[in-house]
Amino acid sequence: MRSEAFQTAKIYRLLLKAVKKHIGKEGNKRHFLEFVTSEFRKNCNLSDGVAVQQKIKLAHDYTFLLNSVHHHKDLLFSYNIAVDRSDEVKRTLGKSAATVGLRLPDVYQP
């Protein structure tokens, strides 16, 4: 019984940490933390062991998903895949034209 309580507390702490880190704890995002807290408090007195284990597994899986999605996003940004490269291409073309004494015309932007 103590092992299950320790595991539940560990998953609860990890989930709260992931929500605070990746979603935020500002005023408009506070309801995520409140929902997690209320669900854990509501289910702490359940006597059905199978239902509790399923909910604990769900919380663990959601924590893993949340951390993985944000790690994947960080990898994409580190590889510059998610960055709009049109400004970088324009800058490179402008530098190339300037090396031979030309200047690219300004593009009309409405």
Side-chain angles (χ1 to χ4, degrees):
M1 181 69 178
R2 288 184 62 84
S3 172
E4 292 175 7
F6 180 72
Q7 180 185 9
T8 302
K10 180 180 176 183
I11 291 173
Y12 177 63
R13 282 192 308 268
L14 289 173
L15 181 58
L16 283 180
K17 183 178 177 183
V19 169
K20 285 178 185 176
K21 180 178 179 183
H22 300 302
I23 295 176
K25 53 184 176 181
E26 295 88 29
N28 60 343
K29 298 177 183 177
R30 188 90 182 141
H31 62 279
F32 289 105
L33 287 173
E34 292 170 358
F35 177 75
V36 169
T37 304
S38 68
E39 284 296 310
F40 268 87
R41 287 184 180 159
K42 181 171 62 174
N43 294 317
C44 71
N45 295 328
L46 288 179
S47 60
D48 186 15
V50 176
V52 171
Q53 289 300 327
Q54 288 176 343
K55 290 188 181 219
I56 295 299
K57 183 175 180 346
L58 182 66
H60 182 266
D61 291 344
Y62 183 71
T63 303
F64 186 72
L65 174 71
L66 195 59
N67 287 327
S68 297
V69 165
H70 286 277
H71 179 68
H72 183 255
K73 186 175 102 177
D74 290 341
L75 283 175
L76 288 177
F77 280 126
S78 71
Y79 296 141
N80 291 329
I81 291 174
V83 178
D84 183 25
R85 300 180 73 82
S86 62
D87 292 334
E88 185 179 335
V89 169
K90 287 178 187 176
R91 194 174 335 112
T92 304
L93 288 175
K95 286 181 181 179
S96 298
T99 58
V100 294
L102 299 175
R103 192 172 65 100
L104 292 177
D106 294 330
V107 179
Y108 173 72
Q109 303 241 348

